[in-house]
Amino acid sequence: MAKVDRRILKTQEAMKKAVIELMTEKNFDDITIQDIADRANINRGTIYLHYQDKFDLLDKLIEAHINELGEMGEWACKLDWGNALVPFFEYFEKNYLFFSTMLASKGAPSFRTRFYDYIVEGFKGEIDKESGRNTDLNEDVMLQYAGTAYVGVIEWWIRNGMPYPPHVMAKQVGALLERTL
C-alpha cells in the first residue's frame, strides 16, 4: 500500500472542514467551489484535483464517516449493547460539527438516509428470537423501529448540545436496544 503524502491529507482535510463549516452558514446548494477554496485557503483548481465537484466532496466526506463507523461496528458488536455503543457516542461527540451539520442540513438529506441504512444493517442479526420474546414480531418491523429510534435519539442528543456524556448515552440507549432487539 502506497503511503499518502501528508500534504495531500492536510489539503483534503481542509476542504472537508471548509464544506462543513460553510454548511453551518448557508444551504449546500448556495455553496460554490470558490467558497470552499477560499475557506480552505487553497486554489479552486486544487479541489478539482481531488474531487469532481462539491457533490463528490460531500459524498466522499459522508462515505468516510460511514466507513469509519462501520469499522468500529465490527469489533463493538462483540460487547454488550451498553459497552458497545460507547465508542460510537464518543465518535459522534468528537465529530460534533459534522454530525450536527449533516443531521440538521436540508442540503444533505442523503446523509440521514445513508446513516439510517448503516444502522439498520448493523442491527440485522441482533434480533433475539432465541428467548421467545420476539418470535411473534416481524424482523423488518423491528429493524425499522430500532433504526428509527436509534437515529432519532442521536439527532436529539446532538441537536440539544449533547446534554449527557457519551458513556451515559451508550448505557441508556443500550438498555433500550436490549429491550427491543
Side-chain angles (χ1 to χ4, degrees):
M1 176 185 238
K3 200 170 189 179
V4 178
D5 187 323
R6 284 187 285 177
R7 293 172 296 178
I8 292 172
L9 293 175
K10 188 176 178 183
T11 300
Q12 289 176 336
E13 284 305 311
M15 289 184 280
K16 291 174 183 177
K17 183 178 181 215
V19 78
I20 293 299
E21 288 176 355
L22 288 164
M23 287 178 71
T24 66
E25 299 167 13
K26 56 184 173 179
N27 190 318
F28 182 73
D29 290 338
D30 297 331
I31 297 171
T32 66
I33 290 293
Q34 190 63 54
D35 292 335
I36 297 167
D38 291 345
R39 181 65 59 100
N41 197 26
I42 59 173
N43 184 303
R44 64 180 268 139
T46 303
I47 295 173
Y48 292 114
L49 290 174
H50 299 274
Y51 305 102
Q52 294 175 1
D53 53 27
K54 68 179 186 176
F55 299 100
D56 185 41
L57 168 56
L58 182 61
D59 189 54
K60 296 283 191 311
L61 177 59
I62 291 169
E63 187 177 307
H65 281 283
I66 296 293
N67 288 342
E68 195 161 341
L69 287 168
E71 289 171 14
M72 291 169 46
E74 290 176 16
W75 62 265
C77 63
K78 294 172 178 50
L79 306 169
D80 66 88
W81 278 113
N83 288 326
L85 296 178
V86 171
F88 289 94
F89 279 95
E90 288 173 343
Y91 185 82
F92 300 142
E93 180 184 53
K94 179 181 153 198
N95 294 284
Y96 173 79
L97 182 62
F98 171 79
F99 285 98
S100 63
T101 302
M102 289 295 107
L103 292 170
S105 176
K106 292 177 177 48
S110 66
F111 171 74
R112 191 182 191 288
T113 302
R114 286 172 70 178
F115 183 53
Y116 171 80
D117 291 344
Y118 159 75
I119 296 298
V120 169
E121 190 63 34
F123 286 160
K124 286 182 180 174
E126 298 293 332
I127 295 175
D128 177 13
K129 295 233 179 197
E130 305 292 317
S131 69
R133 69 180 180 154
N134 294 327
T135 55
D136 59 334
L137 297 173
N138 181 291
E139 186 170 328
D140 289 334
V141 173
M142 290 183 69
L143 289 170
Q144 296 302 310
Y145 176 79
T148 302
Y150 185 64
V151 171
V153 167
I154 293 166
E155 283 178 316
W156 168 85
W157 184 61
I158 290 172
R159 284 186 181 155
N160 286 285
M162 299 180 292
Y164 305 104
H167 71 277
V168 170
M169 288 302 295
K171 185 175 181 181
Q172 295 281 312
V173 173
L176 292 168
L177 287 172
E178 284 177 14
R179 292 177 188 177
T180 304
L181 299 176

